[in-house]
Amino acid sequence: MTMNKKTIEDIDVSGKRVLVRCDFNVPLDADGNITDENRIVGAMPTIKYLVDKGAKVILCSHMGKPKGEPKKEFSLAPVAKRLSEKLGKEVVFAADDNVVGENARKAVAEMKDGDVVLLENTRFRAEETKNVETFSKELASLADIFVNDAFGTAHRAHCSTVGVASYLPAVCGYLIQKEIKFLGNAVNNPVRPLVAILGGSKVSSKISVIENLLDKVDTLIIGGGMAYTFMAAKGYEVGDSLLEADYIDYAKEMMAKAGSKLLLPIDTVVAREFSNDAESKIVGEGQIEKGWEGLDIGPKTVELFSDAIRKAKTVVWNGPMGVFEMPNFAKGTNAIAKVLAEIDATTVIGGGDSVAAVNQAGLGDKMTHISTGGGASLEFLEGKELPGIAALQDK
Ligand code: AMP
């Protein structure tokens, strides 16, 4: 997978109309107030760069799932307001139910260098998620250049992420550039040793990740609910722990293929029931009894995993080591997060629950890179080519 994509710094944007696909899929409360503006904050470096260079900046994004028709509660109007406040200049909101309509055309025609316009929710159009040519062409007709900066939807081939790139020179913004640099390089071009840590609930949802990473890593660590299917594959009783019986043979195959590359838990924190206050104890390898379920890795496992992680120069982590939402079963996950925070290595947190876990431990700012896309980062780890990145020009 070649990952050397042109960025906004590789092209001349001054005076040009630049259509930027952002990820403004922010949560709103019942009154339409934005309750978490992280994604707006994340988009600012690219927007500011383009404004400073004197581009005419046309922003677009989806929000929620309006299912291909205009719905007031999914309007991007609140985002335009917040963007204006953050940029300290007016962001003109083109309130067209058909996204590229009279308002958008008029607003763009009136733009001066450094102006910013935001289009309405791209998913108000039924064509968007089907990547239909007509809407892609309409979007492209507004601009001279296309910039994709929405990593969270880069694994989807939609009009505003892929289709439009057929009609305009297409490059990436700073957010996607950073994901390629850290997540992409960690998997495809790592400084070794490379250690991958996988956890979370299911083997079945991470099969492609396991297979892709097994070929690339020096050590693969598997913890969390996924690990019990591997324990069952070793012939151990796992009690009431999470188990995917259909995947036991697969786990056996993977263990045989991986040999000493694969590290699995050697002790477990088991509980009487799935509750933070449940009676619990630590048991050794193969010692889970009927009537108990494993909810976290034990202290010996933390040591085993930590020793391997300390030798790494690159670490990729996806999925918690236990039920980290319950404080009594978050210790293993927190301990692993702490080791990552301490070591002198590139540490990449690959989306989803591990991001929540690292932030819950207060260690987010100690990691080299925290991926902004759940599904997109998982596909990256699976070794898949993300259509929204593939559509951009190579350097
Ligand atoms: P995933 O979405 O597959 O990454 O899984 C994340 C979820 O796995 C979190 O909600 C964790 O609480 C859960 N999880 C991790 N370890 C266990 C475990 N031992 N038993 C049950 N759930 C777990």
Side-chain angles (χ1 to χ4, degrees), residues 24-26 61-67 74 76 121 123 129:
F24 292 142
N25 185 24
V26 292
S61 174
H62 82 283
M63 183 202 278
K65 291 185 174 157
K67 304 259 168 73
F74 294 107
L76 283 176
N121 190 339
R123 288 195 191 164
T129 56

Side-chain angles (χ1 to χ4, degrees), residues 34-180:
I34 297 166
T35 54
D36 177 351
E37 63 174 31
N38 270 327
R39 285 177 169 157
I40 296 178
V41 173
M44 294 310 283
T46 295
I47 299 171
K48 278 191 177 151
Y49 173 87
L50 293 170
V51 168
D52 288 348
K53 289 282 173 192
K56 299 178 174 81
V57 187
I58 307 156
L59 306 172
C60 70
S61 174
H62 82 283
M63 183 202 278
K65 291 185 174 157
K67 304 259 168 73
E69 48 185 79
K71 291 199 181 111
K72 213 168 178 284
E73 65 271 30
F74 294 107
S75 171
L76 283 176
V79 173
K81 188 160 164 274
R82 194 70 195 99
L83 271 172
S84 301
E85 288 161 8
K86 291 201 95 58
L87 277 170
K89 66 184 290 170
E90 195 196 357
V91 172
V92 175
F93 183 59
D96 289 318
D97 280 352
N98 60 345
V99 189
V100 184
E102 251 174 63
N103 290 310
R105 290 189 203 289
K106 182 163 177 287
V108 170
E110 287 171 359
M111 286 178 101
K112 297 192 186 64
D113 294 355
D115 280 354
V116 184
V117 166
L118 173 65
L119 305 183
E120 186 51 286
N121 190 339
T122 50
R123 288 195 191 164
F124 280 9
R125 290 285 292 265
E127 301 100 311
E128 164 72 339
T129 56
K130 299 183 189 99
N131 196 16
V132 178
E133 222 173 49
T134 46
F135 184 45
S136 303
K137 279 185 178 162
E138 284 175 43
L139 284 168
S141 73
L142 295 175
D144 307 303
I145 292 168
F146 173 63
V147 173
N148 192 357
D149 209 24
F151 182 69
T153 43
H155 59 314
R156 304 274 183 240
H158 294 170
C159 294
S160 68
T161 60
V162 170
V164 66
S166 315
Y167 305 105
L168 294 174
V171 302
C172 63
Y174 288 124
L175 274 180
I176 288 196
Q177 182 188 12
K178 197 161 171 262
E179 296 284 356
I180 294 173

Side-chain angles (χ1 to χ4, degrees), residues 161-359:
T161 60
V162 170
V164 66
S166 315
Y167 305 105
L168 294 174
V171 302
C172 63
Y174 288 124
L175 274 180
I176 288 196
Q177 182 188 12
K178 197 161 171 262
E179 296 284 356
I180 294 173
K181 180 173 171 199
F182 290 111
L183 192 54
N185 278 344
V187 178
N188 296 312
N189 193 19
V191 179
R192 290 184 184 276
L194 166 62
V195 174
I197 310 164
L198 293 181
S201 53
K202 288 183 179 160
V203 180
S204 54
S205 63
K206 292 192 185 158
I207 282 190
S208 311
V209 179
I210 298 174
E211 282 178 6
N212 182 47
L213 290 181
L214 206 47
D215 283 341
K216 294 180 170 152
V217 298
D218 298 288
T219 301
L220 179 64
I221 290 173
I222 291 186
M226 284 169 66
Y228 305 103
T229 300
F230 285 85
M231 291 181 197
K234 285 187 176 183
Y236 299 147
E237 170 67 50
V238 297
D240 297 332
S241 307
L242 275 186
L243 172 69
E244 288 179 285
D246 292 350
Y247 288 89
I248 291 177
D249 285 342
Y250 172 81
K252 280 184 189 161
E253 248 175 68
M254 283 301 117
M255 288 193 297
K257 193 174 160 207
S260 59
K261 257 193 191 183
L262 178 64
L263 294 184
L264 291 163
I266 51 170
D267 61 352
T268 301
V269 180
V270 293
R272 273 292 185 194
E273 56 185 19
F274 192 78
S275 141
N276 185 50
D277 304 320
E279 183 193 348
S280 70
K281 61 181 182 180
I282 297 161
V283 299
E285 182 169 1
Q287 301 300 311
I288 302 175
E289 301 153 273
K290 286 203 170 78
W292 294 81
E293 61 185 299
L295 296 183
D296 196 6
I297 53 173
K300 286 195 181 126
T301 304
V302 168
E303 258 178 61
L304 174 77
F305 289 0
S306 300
D307 285 348
I309 295 166
R310 285 200 183 92
K311 292 187 191 119
K313 280 284 160 217
T314 308
V315 183
V316 180
W317 184 12
N318 181 288
M321 295 291 98
V323 185
F324 76 101
E325 298 93 335
M326 300 180 189
N328 287 335
F329 305 105
K331 293 188 187 110
T333 301
N334 288 344
I336 297 301
K338 201 156 162 276
V339 178
L340 257 67
E342 286 164 3
I343 57 173
D344 178 22
T346 301
T347 49
V348 178
I349 312 303
D353 271 333
S354 12
V355 176
V358 164
N359 286 332

